[in-house]
Amino acid sequence: MPRFLSKNANLLKAAFALAGTTIGAGIFGMPYVTAKVGLPLGLGYLLILGLLTLIVNLAYGEVILRTRGDHQFTGYAQKYLGSTGKWVASLVLTASLYGSLLAYLVKTGEFLSLLFPQWLTPSQATLIFFTLAAWTIFYGLKTVSVVESYLTVALVGFLFFLILICSVKIDPLNWITNTNFDYFFLPYGLFIFSLAGSLVIPEMEEILRQEPQKLRTSIIWGTLAPVFIYAGFIIAVVGVTGPLTSDDTIRGLAGFFSPPVVSLSAVIGLLAIATSFLTLGYVLREHFYRDFRLAKNSAWAMACAVPLGLFLLGANNFILILSLTGALAIGLQNGLILAMSLIAKKIGDKKPAYQINLNDWVALTILLVFIGGMLYEVLNLLRPSSL
């Protein structure tokens, strides 16, 4: 092993944990919303929100380094924001997990139906997947997290493969389509969702417990790597499909590539999203069991029944689900992290290995962005428009 890799093995492991947690189902909707607003505006969103996410992630890392003992998101909220903060954090975490599970449920059904169009409708495929997934979550997931790490590698490798094959079919005219201000705010919530990965930062600190000074660098790498991968993927897909870009990317590529490539795309997307569903479903079950003190069977039912119920009630718009989850749940989660950061600077019980220059005014400005995004999504939900 090269000396650089051996010397920075834990740094790279921590960075990969953040990048792997960040890259998920949201990437399949990013080309669609970018095609709606135009590539320049879409990439501008990605850059600005990527930088804001980096600030939030670094702030959370500093909170962790300033605090004695091991905690998770709700534990830090309780310490710095009190019991009310803990419950708000818990509700935010629950909402973000429910939103993610619902979106994954919708998309796995669509990918399965794409693979077996003659046998399954998207709704039928969703119900079949849910039955198998709920059974798996009920009996435990000892190997799912390991499988998910390998599938994350497979997904990233496949994204590079798709970028490569798209490069030979790009029409530059698709890049210079005029910016459509009618959809100006459309990318916000989905991009916020797609960039979220902060909840894994406590595990990153554990990996780097003996080298805390490297946490800052690992957060920077782990946050920016998805931004660059997303940018390449968006540029490649929009360059090929342009206004024909579908809300899951894969169906839009069907008219430009051979069936084997499309099928492979659907398989990789299906596996990546399915394992994420299993992992998050298990996390939510444990959240209800350990934090809300529900019986195991009740915790399992709460984790699985709500996404299914929402789906059966007609919540099946992938883009809208991710946008609402990102703008509301992730936006509020980021706001709580900023508030914790400001308080931890004053009452934290450890000297951190790094600190960022986040004063009240900078934090307030970023917080206003998140609040504005929340208000827009709520108003847009009350006055729905065609996506």
Side-chain angles (χ1 to χ4, degrees), residues 147-336:
V147 173
E148 185 181 25
S149 66
Y150 286 112
L151 281 173
T152 299
V153 175
L155 176 60
V156 172
F158 169 73
L159 293 176
F160 281 112
F161 167 74
L162 202 58
I163 291 170
L164 181 63
I165 63 173
C166 282
S167 65
V168 300
K169 291 181 176 286
I170 286 174
D171 180 356
L173 291 177
N174 290 326
W175 289 340
I176 58 176
T177 302
N178 292 333
T179 299
N180 188 343
F181 289 101
D182 291 339
Y183 295 100
F184 185 85
F185 293 104
L186 180 60
Y188 173 81
L190 190 143
F191 277 28
I192 284 288
F193 178 92
S194 303
L195 290 164
S198 60
L199 294 181
V200 80
I201 295 178
E203 281 68 40
M204 296 173 66
E205 187 274 334
E206 289 186 24
I207 293 171
L208 293 167
R209 184 67 54 86
Q210 304 304 317
E211 306 171 287
Q213 73 281 359
K214 293 184 178 180
L215 182 60
R216 178 189 179 112
T217 302
S218 68
I219 290 175
I220 293 173
W221 289 11
T223 304
L224 294 184
V227 172
F228 288 113
I229 293 173
Y230 288 163
F233 184 70
I234 291 169
I235 291 169
V237 173
V238 173
V240 173
T241 55
L244 300 178
T245 304
S246 63
D247 66 357
D248 63 359
T249 295
I250 308 302
R251 286 182 293 112
L253 293 172
F256 298 87
F257 294 100
S258 63
V261 172
V262 176
S263 296
L264 176 62
S265 304
V267 169
I268 296 295
L270 173 64
L271 291 175
I273 294 175
T275 53
S276 294
F277 182 95
L278 294 173
T279 300
L280 293 185
Y282 183 76
V283 168
L284 187 55
R285 190 197 81 171
E286 291 298 290
H287 179 52
F288 285 132
Y289 173 61
R290 298 182 185 280
D291 295 339
F292 287 90
R293 306 297 182 187
L294 296 181
K296 280 194 173 182
N297 288 352
S298 299
W300 168 78
M302 282 290 293
C304 295
V306 172
L308 178 64
L310 291 172
F311 175 80
L312 294 175
L313 289 172
N316 56 11
N317 187 318
F318 180 65
I319 300 297
L320 182 60
I321 294 167
L322 293 189
S323 295
L324 285 171
T325 304
L328 300 180
I330 306 300
L332 186 52
Q333 175 184 299
N334 289 345
L336 291 174

